Amino acid sequence: MTESNRPSGEYPTYHSYPSYGDGATSYPPPPPYEPGESGGAPGDSGRPGRAARRARRPVALLVAVAIVAAAVGGGSAALIGQLTDSGPDGSGSSGAVNGTTVSQSSAGTVSGVAEAVSPAIVEIGATSTAGRSTGSGVVITSDGEIITNNHVISGASRIEVTLSTGRTYTADVVGTDADKDLALIKLNGARGLKTATLGDSSSVKVGDQVVAIGSPEGLTGTVTSGIVSALDRDVTVAKDEDSTPGGGQGQRGGVGQWPFEFGGQQFNGDTGSSTTTYKALQTDASLNPGNSGGALINMNGEIIGINSAMYSPSSSSGTESSGAGSVGLGFAIPVDTVKADLDTLRAGNGS
């Protein structure tokens, strides 16, 4: 068969042919694959053959999976970004609720709030001519500024502060505001302290869950919980130590008193003639003598109030303590009052 009458398409056309054995010109043997089975072979039609398709399927599958994973990952990243961004600049907190020190996994739990905020709550021991009283305070700056009640440190000649770690510092009074029952003290030589976040008491609603941390009866770092029972209670307390036998702390001179007035009646003893009245948050979180000056905290770990008064029924035991403990009637100075008074306290007014 000559090349001119060979059926078209049977074999590829070659311009020259090698000699096979006998020196005669002959056609080469058929290729080891069918035309079109492998890209780049003579007569390739441009479509991958069966072998090529089999080889490319895993690669195509991996590419498709990678694309889907990237799409899902990008969506998750966008969602996480929306949850953690704290502002239009895209900065956000990693693993923490915005504006708080409570981790996302623990937000809304008493244990989470206690773990996050307890390091910023201190025990205050104030010594005066009347004896020694015990109260609590809230660290607001890393170098040792502490907010507490005026009646905790009023008249004190020496102030000692014990951190949650057990370390003790001496402190000086920076400023006081007897009308609001607030005081600012500062530790001597402190730095790098854990600080509390001051929240927004105007957003507090009746029924909100709260946590109280303080040192009742000298039991440092005691945690209790409850709810906000009422808002804007008019609570009246003594303005100075001379009006409150025992200093109102329940620890001075062994006399357990924390006197205050509400609704025209006096509770836990005589408040004296020099008093001040403020709007308070009411809570059923257990407060006892020594909690005064400590923190009332929302479930995001933000300070919403400074605990300042509590009602305790008279003891029938005949012991030297005149209080039988908390019955769920506690009061706290709203943190918005504290924030509005900080500049005055730092200026040393009233100290």
Side-chain angles (χ1 to χ4, degrees):
M1 181 184 304
T2 66
E3 183 173 343
S4 61
N5 60 11
R6 178 168 49 85
S8 175
E10 183 176 349
Y11 293 108
T13 301
Y14 294 89
H15 296 290
S16 62
Y17 304 98
S19 174
Y20 293 92
D22 58 0
T25 300
S26 61
Y27 298 111
Y33 48 80
E34 294 179 14
E37 276 197 351
S38 177
D44 191 355
S45 63
R47 292 176 300 174
R50 288 191 299 273
R53 287 195 298 271
R54 284 194 298 270
R56 294 180 183 177
R57 280 173 187 158
V59 176
L61 180 60
L62 290 174
V63 172
V65 170
I67 292 173
V68 172
V72 173
S76 300
L79 178 59
I80 293 172
Q82 291 173 3
L83 291 175
T84 58
D85 280 353
S86 60
D89 60 353
S91 61
S93 58
S94 176
V97 178
N98 273 339
T100 75
T101 54
V102 181
S103 66
Q104 289 180 344
S105 60
S106 299
T109 67
V110 174
S111 61
V113 171
E115 180 180 7
V117 185
S118 287
I121 310 302
V122 301
E123 179 182 309
I124 298 175
T127 302
S128 73
T129 55
R132 178 180 171 85
S133 67
T134 300
S136 305
V138 179
V139 180
I140 60 171
T141 64
S142 61
D143 61 349
E145 281 190 348
I146 295 172
I147 284 289
T148 187
N149 288 140
N150 177 61
H151 72 256
V152 170
I153 53 85
S154 179
S157 57
R158 178 178 174 84
I159 300 173
E160 291 183 332
V161 175
T162 303
L163 306 184
S164 62
T165 60
R167 184 170 182 178
T168 300
Y169 291 86
T170 59
D172 296 323
V173 176
V174 177
T176 61
D177 189 338
D179 288 334
K180 296 178 181 177
D181 195 19
L182 291 172
L184 182 70
I185 64 174
K186 192 171 189 300
L187 304 185
N188 295 311
R191 62 180 183 273
L193 301 184
K194 179 75 172 181
T195 62
T197 300
L198 302 184
D200 177 11
S201 53
S202 68
S203 63
V204 174
K205 298 184 293 296
V206 173
D208 284 352
Q209 288 184 292
V210 289
V211 174
I213 306 178
S215 299
E217 306 294 347
L219 300 174
T220 305
T222 296
V223 177
T224 58
S225 65
I227 63 168
V228 174
S229 304
L231 306 175
D232 298 326
R233 294 296 201 196
D234 287 321
V235 174
T236 301
V237 297
K239 291 182 65 172
D240 55 67
E241 75 279 7
D242 294 333
S243 302
T244 57
Q249 296 311 294
Q251 296 290 351
R252 180 175 294 169
V255 180
Q257 294 189 10
W258 194 351
F260 72 97
E261 295 179 16
F262 177 75
Q265 300 183 43
Q266 293 186 339
F267 301 93
N268 305 341
D270 185 5
T271 56
S273 58
S274 179
T275 61
T276 185
T277 302
Y278 55 82
K279 299 286 187 181
L281 303 174
Q282 182 181 326
T283 179
D284 69 351
S286 180
L287 302 180
N288 288 284
N291 270 115
S292 196
L296 190 66
I297 312 158
N298 66 19
M299 301 310 288
N300 285 333
E302 300 165 331
I303 310 300
I304 59 169
I306 300 297
N307 299 320
S308 58
M310 48 81 66
Y311 168 69
S312 180
S314 297
S315 172
S316 59
S317 64
T319 64
E320 64 180 6
S321 175
S322 64
S326 172
V327 294
L329 291 174
F331 303 92
I333 301 168
V335 74
D336 286 358
T337 301
V338 176
K339 292 190 293 185
D341 207 31
L342 270 179
D343 287 342
T344 300
L345 295 173
R346 284 173 172 151
N349 293 0
S351 63

